[in-house]
Amino acid sequence: MIRTALVAGALLLGASAVIAQQNVVKENQDTMKANGKNLGAMVAMVKGEKPYDQATVTAGLAQLEETAKKLPTMFPDSIKGLKPDGGKYEMSPKIWEDKAGFNARIEEFAKVVAEAKSKTTNLDTLKVSAPAMGKACGNCHETFRIKLE
Ligand code: HEC
């Protein structure tokens, strides 16, 4: 009896750890979606689809800076190999196989966001900073994100 209870308890603990890890995967997707939304709003201004709006730019840059701060701890070993529950993309195993490369992409992204934050004050400066940030997103995705068919 005691043994069965212990085993059941261990299984429950194991299950809740898996749920916690799956939540991390979901939170990461939400963070990435927010990145896409905020950079997308800036790109729309660059393309002239929306008027330049400093409040939107400032709020978007603050969220991207948050992401840059979170990225170094967003992909712990415990979520390696987990599949997203829906969505078009998943994590590449290279995140863990090439940590140095992954961290280099994070640093590059953080630098570009910090620069954008200090320099973006109008449409002309946004025309420089938005594509630079988009390039830093893409440089990471190219190697560390897998598109699901
Ligand atoms: C250092 C690496 C890295 C950087 C920088 C990065 N991403 Fe990602 N992104 C990933 C990985 C890994 C995934 C797949 C796993 C996930 O979604 O958590 C992803 C997924 C995404 C997704 C798909 C989310 C979904 O499932 O719907 C979007 C959208 C996205 N990123 C946007 C961005 C944008 C925009 C930027 C730049 C402002 C950015 N990312 C910067 C690594 C990065």
Side-chain angles (χ1 to χ4, degrees):
M1 264 311 268
I2 290 172
R3 196 183 154 76
T4 314
L6 279 176
V7 169
L11 282 176
L12 265 178
L13 269 179
S16 61
V18 169
I19 291 168
Q21 283 144 15
Q22 204 65 54
N23 284 343
V24 173
V25 173
K26 171 77 172 66
E27 276 164 27
N28 288 349
Q29 282 182 314
D30 289 347
T31 298
M32 287 294 167
K33 281 179 194 160
N35 294 342
K37 188 171 155 268
N38 286 318
L39 184 61
M42 294 183 226
V43 169
M45 294 175 204
V46 168
K47 287 184 178 164
E49 295 165 1
K50 291 257 171 67
Y52 184 81
D53 177 47
Q54 187 65 50
T56 304
V57 170
T58 302
L61 287 174
Q63 185 272 330
L64 294 177
E65 190 181 38
E66 256 327 286
T67 299
K69 279 191 200 144
K70 276 196 287 190
L71 269 168
T73 54
M74 268 171 64
F75 298 94
D77 288 346
S78 57
I79 65 166
K80 185 178 172 179
L82 288 185
K83 301 284 168 198
D85 188 13
K88 290 193 206 114
Y89 301 94
E90 68 177 350
M91 306 172 277
S92 164
K94 287 186 186 141
I95 292 173
W96 297 277
E97 288 160 10
D98 178 16
K99 279 199 175 152
F102 188 65
N103 288 335
R105 296 288 87 79
I106 295 175
E107 268 175 42
E108 172 189 300
F109 174 67
K111 206 174 142 217
V112 168
V113 171
E115 206 167 295
K117 232 191 128 190
S118 70
K119 291 189 180 155
T120 312
T121 50
N122 54 31
L123 185 58
D124 279 343
T125 44
L126 184 67
K127 279 181 177 167
V128 177
S129 55
M133 289 188 285
K135 194 163 168 266
C137 311
N139 282 347
C140 184
H141 292 157
E142 186 179 64
T143 312
F144 299 103
R145 182 177 81 169
I146 294 174
K147 191 170 193 321
L148 299 166
E149 289 312 325

